[in-house]
Amino acid sequence: MTTRFIGKPLKRKEDPRLIQGLSHYVDDLNLAGMHYAAFLRSPYAHANIRSVDLSKARRASGVVLALSGTDIDGAIQPVPCAAQIPDMKSGARPVLARDRVRFVGESVAVLVASDRYAARDALDLIEVDYEPLTPIVNPEKAIAKGAAPLHAGQKDNVAFKWELEGGDLKAAFKAADKVIKQRIVNQRVIPVPIETRGVLADYQPGEGQLTVWSSTQIPHLLRTQIASMLNFPETLVHVVAPEVGGGFGTKLNVYPEEAIVAYLAIQLGKPVKWSESRRENFQATIHGRDQIDDLEVAIKRDGTILGLRCRVIADLGAYYQLLTPLIPTLTGLMMTGCYKIPAARMEITGVFTNKMATDAYRGAGRPEATYLIERVMDLVAAELKKGPVEVRRKNFPQPKDFPYATPTGLIYDSGDYQKALDMALKVADYKKLRQEQAKLRKEERYMGIGISTYVEICGMGPSSAMPAGGWESATVRVEPTGRVSVMTGSSPHGQGQETTFAQMGADVLGIDPSQVQVVHGDTSVVPYGIGTFGSRATAVGGTAVYKSLQKVKEKLARIAAHIVGSDPERMVFANRKIFAKQSPKKSVAFGQAVSAAYVAKTLPAEMEPGLEATTFFEPTNFTYPFGTHICVVEIDAETGDVKLVRYVAVDDCGNVINPLLVEGQVQGGIVQSVGQALFEEAVYDEQGQLITGELMDYALPRASDMCWIEAARTVTPTPVNPLGVKGVGEAGTIAATPALAGAVADALAPFGVHHVDMPFKREKIWQVMSKNRRRVQ
Amino acid sequence: MIPASFEYQAPKTLDEALRLVERHGDEAKLLAGGHSLLPLMKLRLATPRYVIDIGHLRGMSYIREENGQIAIGALTTHTEIEQSALLASKCPLLPETAAQIGDVQVRNRGTIGGSLAHADPGADYPAAILALDAEIIAANTSGTRTIPARDFFVDMLTTQLHPGEILTQIRIAPRRAQSGAAYEKLHQPASGFAIVGVAANVLLGEGGKTIEQAAIGITGLSARAFRAEAVERALSGKHISEKVIEDASRNGAEGVEPLSDLHASGEYRREMARVFTRRAVARAIVAARGDA
């Protein structure tokens, strides 16, 4: 295959419609007779529901239906959780609370009206008699002796305990020259996709057909779950993910509103739409992170790390969403990062609190792991008065060590960590940066340099390691006119696979990307698929596409060879022609061969007509992208303001289909990380009220908060798939927070401080600098 | 946005608007740029029965010289102020302040009259208006009156405007020779409002060695924007030095009760008042000397 398009920075096919506002999100879809649903949400974090009186709301103008949790009891199954951890307790979320509410924003009633104003107004007419209970907000207090359990019939608020140990930890700590202990906190954050969630459902009673449009990353899994939750035939459920304006993991889930809106459409025989407000999105769409990690590290004086022990308190919120308990376990699997640490142990305590559930947020457990191990590397360097680069280098596995087995049971596919580090140091001109830092310190200016050498786990599959299948599907159909439809089970929502899969189709079949149309998100059109998350769409979904393209290509080669009288093995596809390698004059136009497949008069004997192939690709392993990020900050000692000065990102995601899109993913991920590092924090007060409940109080990073990102790449292909691609959707978020944390800690080193918890808000940094001002000069 | 229902009225003339305001009293809210009112209505924290949209009033958006003063219509947007050539030469503090409000979309819609009348404790204009000794013109059905800026801000979201009055104009004296001004702000990272914002306006003596007069307006620090008179006293008549500026800045929060919230404690705000007062005064002096 000649690669005219793969590896080239093609502009995205998706962008013209997005930039011009011509795309259709759920809220842009309107059906005749459409009604609107609105949810009444609990203002209390913890309360018993004595009664819900819907009588006034039901009489309100325009209202056609109003239901409480009691009204739908038994009709809709609770929110599904696919994660299974031995001995985990029940934390199932009812779609509407019936007896008790357990977080602010939990729905207690739903109503449907003829327009969205009538629906919203009628909410104010619902009377709920709450009996407030003491909210349990702090996860450590939640598991302290005497804390009342959130869930009836449970003895405490421990949802599960999970342990992972590899290597001889006892021996490691016995052989240690020093043991470092540190608590680090990875704060709860709110993902904030630009498009909030939305659901539109339509039911045709004659045909018995239910169609649900939802802003989701997993249309097929949602279809299965809606069928199960409503006890409705899956064959009659059609789910469409139209344009989805960002997910970041929040839409890798099944929410009460998806099942309820479908249920309401069936009950009413009318289309029903619900659009989530920003406030609802803050309160009732999954949050991310929220771990307290207590670390113990066994080290040798030369910087060798012998062992790592970590006790984690994971604040799960009140209920499980789809993958809630699973996310912190990914932190455990990746806790040793890109280092040869022979022994490691993690003990996770999953805790119920009166908050929204946590679940997969861009990186999902791996940013927490990288943050943890990279903070460890910096603390080791500080303890031993060595450079952060030296300590990291000392503990890297060498390229010859791959595939590399970790004590946590993973097999890293391929890597050259040294090479990425060297490139980053060169791009940053690290030596010069250190000289500049020394000079500025004399002027009482506080510049800090942070380094993060990371590895992450993505290309989510294989199925043996996943809760609900780790494969992906693709159908390639060459249409009679010669246009190519690629139907992918992946569900891109910003990742750009309409472009990258078209690049692949064009190169395999010797045509132009404009002739390849990528179709996704519609369960009636594309084969059953798993969806887009865990940086898997190209590594797993792309491989399924590639294999289906190969199958179609083989068939076309046989048809073309039959027409020109040549050997199918020797046919070449280029410039919309198929020709024999040795004698290019033996050639047919691409369209002619395609036509032959459909007209079916000149096909080789025994060949079926048509030109379509489907693949369900099952990967043999995860993929493990890696790299080095270097961040330079300067802190204003008077205000505590942290300013980004430089950011160097060297990422290795294996082979690259489109470097422009890779850079876009890296940039976006870094910016999102800057948000967590500098500003973002979901703050619940003691009453369990989310006081960072809107964008006036919850700061997202802006262009003016960023510096230029100097991005470079090394290329270490993976042997796990034929494309050699690893995935890059989350790398930026995984790599960047520790680089920023390292830079801030480095800037504060003259104050005798080696670790500060995120977010690095100005007042917090100012406090650190004023309290420690004269300790070290 | 799904607010509670309201009656929308869009008068075409100021007289018509004043009659509506008089008639509806507390049940009415004025809508100008909408950046303060609409978020409150969206969350149903404000549920006015009448929304009187004054955005269609003719002749309320202008920046012009009148009788030796600069007159700014209440409906002039932040962007118009930011880009005004007249203000750039006669009153550069105001465009400098406008440029630090919110973001481009906010500046394109928000109006100076709306911002001043709303009197958010973190709004930027109040600091500048105070430091400029501006006059605020308010109208009702029986006429107009002039309110000095230093009397205008009463408390959080409260001004000297009476029920039935509409803020129509802001008047500012053009800058004098040997004077300079600057606005220094620590912004709240989510909303862009000022945690502390300090506008300094100084008049230097001959040769630029002394401060003859200083006017310091501070916003964000407390429930209302105020003139930092203790700082002004400590600067006026002094020979300029780093120490004089530093010492004077220590009085930035004198006599006020600092706000304390999710974004900044009172202790931090007090300290930032010192830092940003110093920065604003130092830059105002540089601006004044640049004129000499």
Side-chain angles (χ1 to χ4, degrees), chain A residues 597-630:
Chain A
Y598 283 96
V599 176
K601 294 184 197 301
T602 52
L603 293 178
E606 312 283 310
M607 180 183 274
E608 291 180 6
L611 209 44
E612 178 170 323
T614 296
T615 305
F616 288 77
F617 172 64
E618 173 68 54
T620 53
N621 189 3
F622 296 99
T623 58
Y624 295 87
F626 60 91
T628 297
H629 286 203
I630 298 179

Side-chain angles (χ1 to χ4, degrees), chain B residues 114-151:
Chain B
S115 172
L116 292 173
H118 185 63
D120 189 289
D124 295 295
Y125 281 134
I129 292 297
L130 284 163
L132 291 167
D133 271 320
E135 293 171 340
I136 288 157
I137 314 299
N140 64 13
T141 48
S142 41
T144 63
R145 69 181 175 122
T146 301
I147 310 166
R150 26 186 346 147
D151 299 337

